[in-house]
Amino acid sequence: MAYETLIVEIEDHVKTIRLNRPDALNALNSTLLAELADAVKAAEENDKVRCVIITGSDKAFAAGADIKEMSEKSFVDVYMNDLFGPETDQLVKSRKPIIAAVSGYALGGGCELAMMCDFIIASDTAKFGQPEINLGVVAGIGGTQRLSRYVGKSKSMDMHLTGRFMDAEEAERSGLVSRVVPAKKLMEEAMSAAQKIAEKSMLTSMVVKETVNRAWETTLSEGLLFERRAFHSLFASEDQKEGMGAFLDKRQAQFRDK
C-alpha cells in the first residue's frame, strides 16, 4: 500500500522502510508511527520478507518525536491514549530481524526507534542523543532503559542529564551500534547484512532473536537454560539436518524454514 510518510520497497526478500518527512527531519508524528507499525506488521505477515531495514535520509534518521503535535497535550490525553505505546509495541514484538540503518541525526524518539531494532549500522555522520531534558520531559519510548543497557549507567546518565550527542565513533566504541561505515556505503552495507540474514533459516533466525533478547530480560543462569533448550529444540527441524548435512557435504545449505 501507499504511505504518506514512508517509502517502502521489497527486494531479494528484504523490506526497506524509509522514513519520509524531509521537512521535519523525519520527526515521529502519529501518522508516521501508525504507518511504521502497519509496515512492520505487513512484513511480519509476508512470507516473502525475511529481513527488514528501517532507515531515514542522509541528514536525519529521525530527529525526535514531533514536538508541535505533542506540546499542547495534557496528562490525561497522553495517558488515556497510551502515547507511543501501541505503535512501538508492534515494532518490538516483530519476530523477523530488523536492522536500523542510521545516517545523520537519531535524537530522542529517533534514537529510541533505532534501539528498538535488532542492531544498528551507522554511517560516519550519525549522531545519537536523548535530549528530552531540554524540553522538560524524560525519554518516553525506552530511551532511559535501552540506552542504559547498551552503554551502561554512567554514559546513559551523562547523555540524558546533559542532552549531549554521541557521534558514530563513540557509539560504536560504547556498544550502541554494531558497525560504522562511510555514509555513501550505508545502504549497501545494510542491504548486504540483510541479504545474509535472508539466506538463513527463518525459523532459526527467529529463535536467535528470541534467545539474544532473553539475555536482556533474565538472569544469566535462566538465560543459559533458555538458550540450551532453544538449541535442543532446533534438532527437531529439517533445517538443522540440512544445515549440518550441507556442512559435512561441503555445499551451500538450502533451508526451507521447516
Side-chain angles (χ1 to χ4, degrees), residues 5-117:
T5 63
L6 306 176
I7 298 172
V8 177
E9 298 176 339
I10 298 177
E11 180 182 354
D12 296 332
H13 302 291
V14 177
K15 183 170 188 173
T16 301
I17 303 172
R18 185 178 296 276
L19 311 185
N20 187 40
R21 294 189 69 210
D23 294 340
L25 295 179
N26 295 330
L28 309 179
N29 66 359
S30 57
T31 300
L32 188 152
L33 285 170
E35 292 187 342
L36 180 59
D38 182 82
V40 170
K41 182 180 180 182
E44 192 78 3
E45 296 170 349
N46 187 341
D47 290 340
K48 294 181 180 179
V49 174
R50 304 175 68 83
C51 189
V52 176
I53 298 172
I54 298 178
T55 192
S57 66
D58 291 343
K59 189 173 184 180
F61 176 74
D66 193 313
I67 308 305
K68 184 177 181 181
E69 187 177 71
M70 290 191 299
S71 62
E72 298 301 319
K73 291 184 182 294
S74 68
F75 165 75
V76 173
D77 293 333
V78 298
Y79 182 78
M80 293 299 290
N81 291 292
D82 194 18
L83 183 64
F84 300 135
E87 299 88 352
T88 57
D89 286 349
Q90 180 64 55
L91 180 66
V92 172
K93 73 181 184 181
S94 172
R95 300 177 72 196
K96 292 183 179 179
I98 302 177
I99 301 171
V102 176
S103 190
Y105 295 111
L107 308 177
C111 186
E112 291 167 304
L113 173 59
M115 290 190 291
M116 282 182 245
C117 299

Side-chain angles (χ1 to χ4, degrees), residues 146-161:
R146 291 191 177 93
L147 188 63
S148 299
R149 284 167 168 78
Y150 274 119
V151 305
K153 176 184 175 182
S154 182
K155 196 173 287 288
S156 179
M157 279 287 194
D158 179 7
M159 293 182 67
H160 283 282
L161 289 173

Side-chain angles (χ1 to χ4, degrees), residues 87-243:
E87 299 88 352
T88 57
D89 286 349
Q90 180 64 55
L91 180 66
V92 172
K93 73 181 184 181
S94 172
R95 300 177 72 196
K96 292 183 179 179
I98 302 177
I99 301 171
V102 176
S103 190
Y105 295 111
L107 308 177
C111 186
E112 291 167 304
L113 173 59
M115 290 190 291
M116 282 182 245
C117 299
D118 294 308
F119 62 95
I120 302 170
I121 299 177
S123 81
D124 51 12
T125 65
K127 294 186 182 301
F128 300 87
Q130 298 289 166
E132 288 88 350
I133 196 167
N134 296 329
L135 303 173
V137 293
V138 66
I141 323 179
T144 62
Q145 304 305 299
R146 291 191 177 93
L147 188 63
S148 299
R149 284 167 168 78
Y150 274 119
V151 305
K153 176 184 175 182
S154 182
K155 196 173 287 288
S156 179
M157 279 287 194
D158 179 7
M159 293 182 67
H160 283 282
L161 289 173
T162 68
R164 77 174 183 87
F165 298 166
M166 177 187 288
D167 64 20
E169 181 183 353
E170 183 182 2
E172 183 182 31
R173 188 172 68 244
S174 303
L176 178 59
V177 308
S178 66
R179 58 186 102 163
V180 177
V181 299
K184 291 181 179 180
K185 293 188 175 181
L186 175 63
M187 291 311 298
E188 177 184 336
E189 188 81 5
M191 183 59 73
S192 176
Q195 288 172 344
K196 283 186 175 68
I197 292 169
E199 292 171 358
K200 315 301 182 188
S201 161
M202 179 53 60
L203 171 66
T204 309
S205 293
M206 288 179 172
V207 173
V208 168
K209 177 169 176 172
E210 189 174 346
T211 307
V212 173
N213 282 335
R214 183 59 63 100
W216 282 36
E217 305 292 343
T218 191
T219 63
L220 176 59
S221 60
E222 288 299 317
L224 289 169
L225 178 59
F226 185 88
E227 176 192 83
R228 192 179 315 124
R229 294 294 179 253
F231 169 70
H232 292 164
S233 71
L234 288 171
F235 279 75
S237 71
E238 293 180 14
D239 284 348
Q240 173 267 330
K241 301 298 184 291
E242 168 63 15

